[in-house]
Structure formats: structure tokens, C-alpha cells
Amino acid sequence: MVTLNTKQDFNRVYRSQKRWHNAYFVLFFREDAQQKRIGFSVSKKVGNAVCRNRIKRRLRAIYRESMLDLRGGDMILLAKNGLDKVAYKTLQSNYKYALIRLGLV
């Protein structure tokens, strides 16, 4: 799993046209045929460090499950407040639905 590292990479993806939001997260996508990269953004508004790290672990696990089926490009998952209280299956189904709506699968 290759991650986005610099602020410029994140800003480039944030400015892209493809995005999908629901009650739990916002998914940003920028096409790039060369590689698949992912970035996670969890604000301090969401919770303390333990809570934010748990959210990132869950998002990473969901991404890994679908990583092989995705088109090449940069993706950012931006967590919204209350994501830590959602069941894993619900989060997983919302993520898959977002990928289908954006045409990434």
C-alpha cells in the first residue's frame, strides 16, 4: 500500500472533480494510470488520538480489501465525526457503494 505523503499530493487530490460523501466519510479520487496511492485524513474534531488511530486502522482494512479491484489513481478518505461509532459492515458497504458510484470498480 503506497500512501500520499506531501501536502501538495493531498491538495492535488482535493482539487479533483471526483468525490463522494455520505454520513461517515468523504472519498476524493484523482485518476493516475501509473500507481494507486491512498491518504487518510482524520481531524482532531473526530476524537482523541486513540479514536483517530482506530478509525485509520478500520479505513486501511477496508481499502486493502478492495485495493486489487480499483483503477489506478490517488484516493483520500476523509473521516467525519461519528465514524468510530459505526459498525464495520456498515462502513464497508458505504465504501463499496461510493466506489461503484464513482466508477472506480
Side-chain angles (χ1 to χ4, degrees):
M1 179 168 54
V2 181
T3 59
L4 297 171
N5 295 322
T6 64
K7 182 178 172 79
Q8 293 148 349
D9 289 339
F10 273 86
N11 287 336
R12 196 174 300 124
V13 178
Y14 283 137
R15 286 192 304 266
S16 69
Q17 297 297 317
K18 286 193 172 193
R19 64 187 71 173
W20 183 261
H21 68 91
N22 59 26
Y24 311 115
F25 60 85
V26 181
L27 188 145
F28 296 90
F29 185 78
R30 179 177 174 270
E31 283 197 50
D32 181 12
Q34 298 171 350
Q35 61 182 344
K36 298 175 189 176
R37 297 188 303 174
I38 183 77
F40 301 100
S41 179
V42 184
S43 169
K44 286 186 177 181
K45 294 177 189 176
V46 175
N48 62 9
V50 174
C51 178
R52 292 193 308 269
N53 288 333
R54 184 179 307 126
I55 288 171
K56 286 188 263 187
R57 280 194 304 270
R58 292 172 82 188
L59 291 175
R60 262 189 238 113
I62 289 171
Y63 174 74
R64 277 192 196 111
E65 292 173 1
S66 67
M67 189 168 58
L68 298 176
D69 300 330
L70 291 175
R71 290 193 334 212
D74 297 340
M75 179 188 299
I76 295 177
L77 285 169
L78 179 105
K80 289 186 177 180
N81 202 0
L83 181 67
D84 57 332
K85 295 169 183 61
V86 178
Y88 183 77
K89 286 286 188 187
T90 305
L91 188 59
Q92 188 177 29
S93 65
N94 279 302
Y95 175 73
K96 288 180 181 178
Y97 182 73
L99 292 179
I100 292 168
R101 292 294 295 185
L102 289 174
L104 304 179
V105 179

